[in-house]
Amino acid sequence: MKHLLLIVMLAASLVGGAQRVVVTSSTAILNAGETGFYPKLNAQGDMLLYSDVDAHGLKMLNLTTRDVAAISDQDGAGFFANWSSDGNVYYVTSKVDAKSHLVYRTGMRYDMARRTNDVVLEAQHGAVLPAVGTQGIAIKGKKHSFASAQHMGTVVSTQGSQVIINVNGNERRFSPVESYAGYLWPSLSPAGDKVAFFAAGRGIVVIDLDGNILAELGNYEMPAWYDNDYLVAQNTTDDSYQFTSSQIMLLKADGSWCHELTSPTSMTMQPTAGGGKIAYTTIDGNITLITIDINQ
């Protein structure tokens, strides 16, 4: 295990003053020889989910004790794994039917107290996607869906070029920007008052719960809220065959400012945040955990 202290400072001009970010710690968190992709921190920042490069299987790392638990060995388990406010982990597995050759997806829950896996949504053909809420998680399928709580609070998801916002059972759909290939990676801010999502061909968009555009943050991907005012995101370039650069960005939610947390040549990607910590992986599967200090 390597522990590396980085002090990185950058001044950026803002209305009314300068802003500076200091990376106060950087730690490679996997054992030598192990790789991980699709990292997902919990809200407290003390537990991390991760998978392999093809999202096969799902593991959980306790960042305090360093214990690793194998949650699933199924295909697709890492793609949409999420922590819920009930403390459990929800994920979706996929399996190809031997006769029809169709893909069937199953909604799963890992019960943290019992350390068991339960089927919460039976296998079905077609898209099966999570919708994360302030008081629970839904797993939505074309035929059947599941909700972890009767009252889900505020829930966000996307379908095509629509953001779906459900507040206490009142569902509304918005298409605030045009997108040739739809919306991805919807994310609700910690205070539950803003939604960030990626619009293909447009970039990251931040809206309020009435669908009004608050800011467009640039052509970055995989937005995740660091706190209610900042997000982390992935900035990649490619040559139509493979990545040519990839880095992690810190973005202000009002669109006024951005900062490079890693260099374009670092090939860092798939950011996640929780508890004042940021985790990301590299193209080779080296997961790193960092902490930062934002001086305004």
Side-chain angles (χ1 to χ4, degrees), residues 3 11-12 18 48 51 65 72 78 84-85 91 94 101 105 109 129 137 141 177 215 226 229 250 263 292-293:
H3 297 270
L48 181 84
S51 186
T65 65
S72 173
S84 177
S85 58
Y91 61 100
S94 61
H101 302 292
R105 296 176 175 87
R109 174 182 59 217
L129 299 170
I137 280 185
V177 297
Y226 172 73
D229 298 312
L250 179 68
S263 70
I292 63 174
D293 183 34

Side-chain angles (χ1 to χ4, degrees), residues 252-272:
K252 198 163 187 180
D254 64 5
S256 66
W257 180 86
C258 66
H259 172 78
E260 296 181 353
L261 291 176
T262 62
S263 70
T265 58
S266 66
M267 301 304 286
T268 48
M269 55 189 60
Q270 299 173 356
T272 179

Side-chain angles (χ1 to χ4, degrees), residues 7-294:
I7 305 297
V8 181
M9 299 182 181
L10 179 66
S13 295
L14 289 174
V15 177
Q19 197 152 14
R20 185 182 66 180
V21 174
V22 179
V23 178
T24 53
S25 68
S26 177
T27 307
I29 60 175
L30 299 183
N31 293 322
E34 186 180 13
T35 59
F37 298 86
Y38 307 102
K40 189 74 174 183
L41 283 166
N42 66 349
Q44 295 75 33
D46 59 359
M47 303 288 287
L48 181 84
L49 301 172
Y50 64 98
S51 186
D52 73 6
V53 66
D54 297 316
H56 175 86
L58 185 64
K59 294 182 179 180
M60 177 177 63
L61 170 64
N62 185 315
L63 293 170
T64 302
T65 65
R66 316 303 299 179
D67 292 334
V68 176
I71 291 179
S72 173
D73 61 358
Q74 298 298 303
D75 288 339
F79 274 131
F80 302 114
N82 273 284
W83 300 93
S84 177
S85 58
D86 63 11
N88 297 318
V89 175
Y90 292 84
Y91 61 100
V92 176
T93 63
S94 61
K95 186 176 183 179
V96 178
D97 183 79
K99 294 182 177 181
S100 67
H101 302 292
L102 297 176
V103 177
Y104 285 81
R105 296 176 175 87
T106 303
M108 302 292 300
R109 174 182 59 217
Y110 179 73
D111 188 299
M112 291 286 288
R114 296 186 293 116
R115 297 292 192 265
T116 59
N117 285 287
D118 305 305
V119 174
V120 296
L121 187 63
E122 295 292 340
Q124 61 184 289
H125 176 56
V128 176
L129 299 170
V132 180
T134 56
Q135 298 177 34
I137 280 185
I139 302 178
K140 296 184 175 182
K142 288 186 175 181
K143 294 182 178 180
H144 306 285
S145 297
F146 161 83
S148 66
Q150 183 177 358
H151 302 290
M152 298 282 289
T154 301
V155 186
V156 298
S157 60
T158 59
Q159 185 178 66
S161 293
Q162 290 184 322
V163 177
I164 306 169
I165 301 177
N166 190 308
V167 181
N168 297 321
N170 179 26
E171 180 179 290
R172 292 182 294 171
R173 296 173 177 246
F174 305 103
S175 297
V177 297
E178 293 185 2
S179 177
Y180 66 89
Y183 301 162
L184 294 170
W185 303 304
S187 182
L188 186 66
S189 67
D193 60 344
K194 296 187 286 285
V195 175
F197 63 94
F198 171 79
R202 190 80 173 240
I204 296 174
V205 181
V206 179
I207 62 174
D208 63 20
L209 299 188
D210 293 318
N212 301 307
I213 297 175
L214 300 177
E216 294 190 50
L217 308 187
N219 196 22
Y220 308 117
E221 302 169 327
M222 301 189 75
W225 291 91
Y226 172 73
D227 60 20
N228 218 60
D229 298 312
Y230 293 89
L231 301 98
V232 289
Q234 167 184 299
N235 180 29
T236 61
T237 61
D238 63 77
D239 60 6
S240 298
Y241 296 99
Q242 59 185 3
F243 291 121
T244 55
S245 71
S246 188
Q247 66 182 140
I248 306 302
M249 304 292 296
L250 179 68
L251 311 172
K252 198 163 187 180
D254 64 5
S256 66
W257 180 86
C258 66
H259 172 78
E260 296 181 353
L261 291 176
T262 62
S263 70
T265 58
S266 66
M267 301 304 286
T268 48
M269 55 189 60
Q270 299 173 356
T272 179
K277 302 171 185 176
I278 299 167
Y280 52 80
T281 192
T282 68
I283 198 168
D284 298 318
N286 299 315
I287 299 180
T288 298
L289 184 74
I290 69 171
T291 57
I292 63 174
D293 183 34
I294 304 171

